[in-house]
């Protein structure tokens, strides 16, 4: 089961610019599309289609940050036929439009205040307590938020930052089902290198009448983890300020 999913993820990451369908991927890994859909979701937490979309937007973020290519060119390079559709999907996933992301990721134009998504009026809100743990010390603030799904994308319904590992509290979490996500930068074993750590927990049932605490354990991403799409305010700028051996911004093409 895992071998087929690994192959499917590899195909998605290598061929994301192509008009890949579930049929294409299942044929390439020699399993039925119904079996692949089931096992892929079990291993990664999402469908192949959502994983593919996340990889495309993640690659677009990289190109926006590290190149001066036009948004229309990047849209085509990551598999979109329409620049308008790409811009809408990018904004929905990352929280800000592509051009603004490029500016903020390079430390240009200040920071964007991205308020939590507003739920229906009158919806009960709750306070959620927990603890965040990791095997490494943070090099950045730890961002923690409640989101609508297993991919760290879109706007959180509630979010906070903490400066160190340990307890946290999320205020005004909407009652109902959500996923908790956390992310931070940490040091690798080698000097001057950093690694992105993430944690996902859910689906969780949030109820104002049930008191509970959660635990988030931050770990390095692996092959089965969908890319992080949401851009916490200032996070890319902070990543850029951390020394990165061999870093060079490109005027065109790939890094």
């Amino acid at each position: 089961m895992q071998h087929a999913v690994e192959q499917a993820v590899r195909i998605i990451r290598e061929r994301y610019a192509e008009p890949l369908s579930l049929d294409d991927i299942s044929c390439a890994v020699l399993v039925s599309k119904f079996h692949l859909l089931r096992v892929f979701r079990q291993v990664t937490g999402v469908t192949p289609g959502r994983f593919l979309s996340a990889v495309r937007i993640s690659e677009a973020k990289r190109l926006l940050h590290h190149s001066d290519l036009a948004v229309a060119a990047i849209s085509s390079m990551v598999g979109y036929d329409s620049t308008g559709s790409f811009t809408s999907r990018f904004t929905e996933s990352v929280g800000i439009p592509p051009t603004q992301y490029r500016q903020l990721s390079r430390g240009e134009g200040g920071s964007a205040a991205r308020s939590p998504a507003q739920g229906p009026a009158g919806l009960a809100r709750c306070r959620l307590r927990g603890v965040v743990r990791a095997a490494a010390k943070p090099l950045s603030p730890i961002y923690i938020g409640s989101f609508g799904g297993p991919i760290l994308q879109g706007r959180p319904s509630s979010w906070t930052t903490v400066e160190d590992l340990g307890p946290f509290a999320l205020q005004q979490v909407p009652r109902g089902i959500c996923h908790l996500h956390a992310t931070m930068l940490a040091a690798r074993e080698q000097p001057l290198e950093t690694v992105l750590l993430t944690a996902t927990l859910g689906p969780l049932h949030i109820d104002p009448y049930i008191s509970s605490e959660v635990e988030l354990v931050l770990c390095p991403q692996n092959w089965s983890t969908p890319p992080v799409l949401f851009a916490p305010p200032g996070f890319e700028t902070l990543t850029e300020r951390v020394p990165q051996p061999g870093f060079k911004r490109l005027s065109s093409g790939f890094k």
Side-chain angles (χ1 to χ4, degrees), residues 8 12 22 25 36-37 40-41 44 46-53:
I12 288 172
L22 180 60
I25 300 171
L36 177 63
L37 185 63
F40 196 98
R41 195 197 302 263
T44 68
V46 298
T47 64
R50 293 191 68 185
F51 201 104
L52 172 61
S53 178

Side-chain angles (χ1 to χ4, degrees), residues 21-227:
S21 67
L22 180 60
D23 286 325
D24 295 329
I25 300 171
S26 62
C27 287
V29 301
L30 303 178
V31 299
S32 77
K33 64 180 180 180
F34 304 105
H35 177 70
L36 177 63
L37 185 63
R38 182 174 65 255
V39 298
F40 196 98
R41 195 197 302 263
Q42 289 174 358
V43 173
T44 68
V46 298
T47 64
R50 293 191 68 185
F51 201 104
L52 172 61
S53 178
V55 169
R56 285 172 169 167
I57 296 299
S58 178
E59 178 63 13
K61 287 174 62 181
R62 189 184 72 82
L63 290 170
L64 286 163
H65 181 56
H66 292 302
S67 82
D68 294 320
L69 292 166
V71 171
I74 291 174
S75 167
S76 177
M77 291 172 69
V78 300
Y80 283 83
D81 295 327
S82 164
T83 304
S85 297
F86 163 73
T87 299
S88 297
R89 178 59 64 88
F90 187 98
T91 304
E92 178 185 356
S93 300
V94 180
I96 50 178
T99 301
Q100 187 179 7
Y101 174 81
R102 167 173 276 163
Q103 294 172 342
L104 295 178
S105 71
R106 298 178 179 185
E108 304 167 359
S111 62
R114 272 153 272 171
S115 58
Q118 299 298 313
L123 187 66
R125 297 261 171 171
C126 317
R127 187 182 191 197
L128 181 64
R129 295 178 178 270
V131 62
V132 59
R133 307 186 190 281
K137 294 292 291 182
L139 293 179
S140 73
I142 304 167
Y143 294 85
I144 305 167
S146 59
F147 290 78
I151 295 179
L152 209 174
Q153 66 178 4
R155 286 194 299 165
S157 57
S158 175
W159 71 293
T160 189
T161 61
V162 293
E163 296 300 321
D164 206 349
L165 302 169
F168 71 88
L170 276 181
Q171 310 291 343
Q172 300 294 307
V173 182
R175 180 178 183 176
I177 304 299
C178 75
H179 286 72
L180 288 187
H181 292 275
T183 184
M184 78 174 193
L185 294 173
R188 291 185 184 271
E189 294 182 359
Q190 297 182 11
L192 302 182
E193 291 192 6
T194 60
V195 60
L196 179 68
L197 304 187
T198 62
T200 300
L201 188 63
L204 298 175
H205 181 71
I206 307 298
D207 192 313
Y209 305 106
I210 300 177
S211 177
S212 62
E213 293 194 0
V214 298
E215 182 181 50
L216 291 167
V217 181
L218 290 153
C219 301
Q221 293 188 295
N222 61 32
W223 65 267
S224 67
T225 310

Side-chain angles (χ1 to χ4, degrees), residues 62 65-66 101-108 185 192 194 234-245 247-250 255:
R62 189 184 72 82
H65 181 56
H66 292 302
Y101 174 81
R102 167 173 276 163
Q103 294 172 342
L104 295 178
S105 71
R106 298 178 179 185
E108 304 167 359
L185 294 173
L192 302 182
T194 60
F235 197 73
E236 268 75 6
T237 305
L238 176 64
T239 306
E240 187 73 0
R241 288 202 300 266
V242 175
Q244 301 286 334
F247 171 80
K248 181 180 180 181
R249 175 167 289 139
L250 303 182
K255 179 171 180 276

